[in-house]
Amino acid sequence: MTNVTVKDLTLDFGAVRVLDKLNIDIQEGEFLVLLGASGCGKSTLLNCIAGLLDISDGEIHIGGRNVTWEEPSERGIGMVFQSYALYPQMSVEGNLSFGLKNARVPKPEIAKRVARAAEILQIEPLLKRKPAALSGGQRQRVAIGRALVRDVDVFLFDEPLSNLDAKLRADLRVELKLLHQKLDNTMIYVTHDQVEAMTLADRIAIMRGGVVQQIASPSEVYDRPSNKYVAGFIGSPTINFFEGSITDGGREFLSADLHFPLTGYEATQGALTARPAWLGIRPEAVITGTDVAQQPFTADITVELVEPMGSDTLIYTTLAGTPFRFRMSGKASVAAGDTLKIGFDPAQGSLFDKTTEKRL
Ligand SMILES: Nc1ncnc2c1ncn2[C@@H]1O[C@H](COP(=O)(O)OP(=O)(O)OP(=O)(O)O)[C@@H](O)[C@H]1O
Ligand SMILES: [Mg+2]
């Protein structure tokens, strides 16, 4: 188990700055997820940590050692890519042991490590097969196994599940979490899938344009996003934003003709002054039914679209002139055109400055 520290990391591809003075501290045994839209620099950061790219400025420390200029093989890391890149002519066993043979690890030790990895990943019955005779999920497990046998302290994953279908992704996601619980290695995991990030991570680092926007636990980024971008990136269906202004010395948010009371926001979050702002309300924060009357904000809405998801149902409507989505129980019987009373507590939502888009 080892910690990883990235200090003021800058990386330029020619004239383009892809990572800009990036700082991240990954604790020993932590599962850190790097999350962000395509092109934000996730793979680049991971490749820098792995030593596959020469950095322009800054330092990388693994286990307290400055590895900035060390070869990938000297860094004590194992990497799993999106494309499994297994050797097609070798059996699973051959694929697992190949790197160890090259590194002249003694035969009994190789056998021991391959057996252990196969057991952990439940691929023992597949050891004699060639990759062509494996399913996508099985191949991906072999790819993880190749990193496992190296017996390293830090695992780097670059979208290891994105080639798999939805069902298999969900299954392997659970296996990866179990694997981490069992091994307790430090893991750095790149994805653009926020569900993967929320479910796997001890902490999530949300990146945008080569800059970390927020690094915090899944519940923290969900409940207290540090800016409007993070709020919109995390959560499905997406958070609802109202454009308007904080008025009445911070006691109220005004959007179109609607008044949203903010009583309690200052006590739990931060001091408010009158200013243009965004109010973010999660679809899950909306209440319908008998408890609505107790909510600080209530409104009558007309259902525009119903999206049954099984476990719950998404309702699309318009509120304060803005599209508004919320979640109801899957058992609710609602149809387009129905009128519903909804309610929520705006003070439990998130407020962002209109211009800087930072959390207030
Ligand atoms: N070798 C290169 N030369 C020039 N620009 C590059 C090179 N590799 C990557 N880039 C650019 O750097 C930026 C970050 O790329 P990176 O691969 O790290 O993104 P990513 O976050 O992993 O995206 P994705 O989710 O699509 O994999 C992109 O704008 C990309 O075009
Ligand atoms: Mg990538």
Side-chain angles (χ1 to χ4, degrees):
M1 284 191 287
T2 308
N3 64 321
V4 178
T5 306
V6 174
K7 286 185 190 166
D8 289 332
L9 173 61
T10 298
L11 185 118
D12 301 321
F13 283 123
V16 184
R17 180 145 296 184
V18 175
L19 300 176
D20 194 8
K21 279 200 177 293
L22 196 140
N23 286 285
I24 293 189
D25 243 321
I26 301 139
Q27 271 120 55
E28 186 161 297
E30 184 173 25
F31 200 130
L32 183 95
V33 173
L34 300 172
L35 177 69
S38 184
C40 72
K42 306 179 295 293
S43 297
T44 305
L45 172 56
L46 206 66
N47 289 335
C48 289
I49 295 172
L52 300 173
L53 284 171
D54 283 341
I55 68 175
S56 308
D57 202 9
E59 284 180 13
I60 296 163
H61 294 240
I62 298 178
R65 209 171 78 237
N66 186 344
V67 301
T68 312
W69 303 109
E70 281 185 12
E71 291 298 316
S73 58
E74 296 166 347
R75 296 189 181 200
I77 45 133
M79 192 153 174
V80 183
F81 298 94
Q82 174 180 352
S83 56
Y84 335 116
L86 301 178
Y87 301 108
Q89 73 282 14
M90 286 183 203
S91 67
V92 168
E93 194 171 15
N95 269 281
L96 291 177
S97 55
F98 183 70
L100 299 179
K101 279 185 190 148
N102 274 355
R104 298 182 194 286
V105 175
K107 266 196 181 153
E109 176 66 18
I110 295 180
K112 206 176 91 192
R113 290 201 210 164
V114 168
R116 176 169 166 270
E119 191 202 330
I120 291 173
L121 296 165
Q122 293 167 17
I123 49 175
E124 290 142 310
L126 311 175
L127 283 173
K128 300 292 174 211
R129 286 202 212 165
K130 298 262 171 74
L134 301 177
S135 73
Q138 290 167 337
R139 277 179 217 166
Q140 194 52 276
R141 270 184 269 173
V142 177
I144 294 170
R146 260 193 330 199
L148 266 188
V149 292
R150 296 201 41 230
D151 212 12
V152 292
D153 296 321
V154 181
F155 280 115
L156 307 178
F157 293 95
D158 194 350
E159 312 224 22
L161 307 184
S162 57
N163 281 346
L164 307 173
D165 67 48
K167 168 84 173 71
L168 206 49
R169 272 182 94 124
D171 289 350
L172 270 182
R173 202 171 69 207
V174 173
E175 283 185 32
L176 271 175
K177 191 153 185 167
L178 286 171
L179 186 70
H180 182 244
Q181 281 177 13
K182 211 180 300 182
L183 301 178
D184 248 357
N185 292 53
T186 308
M187 293 198 177
I188 310 178
Y189 185 102
V190 164
T191 183
H192 59 261
D193 182 325
Q194 51 117 358
V195 176
E196 255 171 45
M198 292 293 285
T199 50
L200 286 172
D202 291 321
R203 281 189 307 159
I204 305 177
I206 296 133
M207 293 177 64
R208 183 193 197 184
V211 178
V212 174
Q213 304 284 305
Q214 182 171 13
I215 174 160
S217 68
S219 64
E220 179 90 3
V221 291
Y222 177 84
D223 288 326
R224 299 173 70 96
S226 65
N227 60 39
K228 183 168 177 263
Y229 180 81
V230 173
F233 202 85
I234 297 279
S236 173
T238 319
I239 192 169
N240 299 288
F241 287 117
F242 296 104
E243 190 177 352
S245 42
I246 299 165
T247 58
D248 198 15
R251 280 188 287 276
E252 202 170 78
F253 181 82
L254 191 65
S255 180
D257 55 346
L258 294 182
H259 297 257
F260 298 88
L262 295 175
T263 318
Y265 190 94
E266 288 189 315
T268 53
Q269 316 227 35
L272 295 175
T273 50
R275 67 169 92 202
W278 298 96
L279 171 65
I281 300 293
R282 295 261 174 225
E284 295 77 17
V286 176
I287 286 172
T288 54
T290 46
D291 294 337
V292 169
Q294 281 108 57
Q295 294 300 308
F297 174 84
T298 59
D300 292 310
I301 57 99
T302 305
V303 176
E304 289 167 13
L305 186 81
V306 178
E307 222 178 25
M309 311 280 286
S311 59
D312 45 28
T313 297
L314 305 183
I315 311 289
Y316 292 74
T317 183
T318 303
L319 192 62
T322 309
F324 187 79
R325 305 160 285 269
F326 62 95
R327 229 184 248 279
M328 287 180 78
S329 152
K331 297 201 167 53
S333 82
V334 216
D338 287 359
T339 305
L340 280 180
K341 196 173 239 343
I342 63 161
F344 54 84
D345 182 2
Q348 299 294 318
S350 294
L351 284 164
F352 305 101
D353 181 86
K354 181 71 190 305
T355 320
T356 65
E357 301 195 343
K358 286 203 175 116
R359 184 181 193 85
L360 297 172

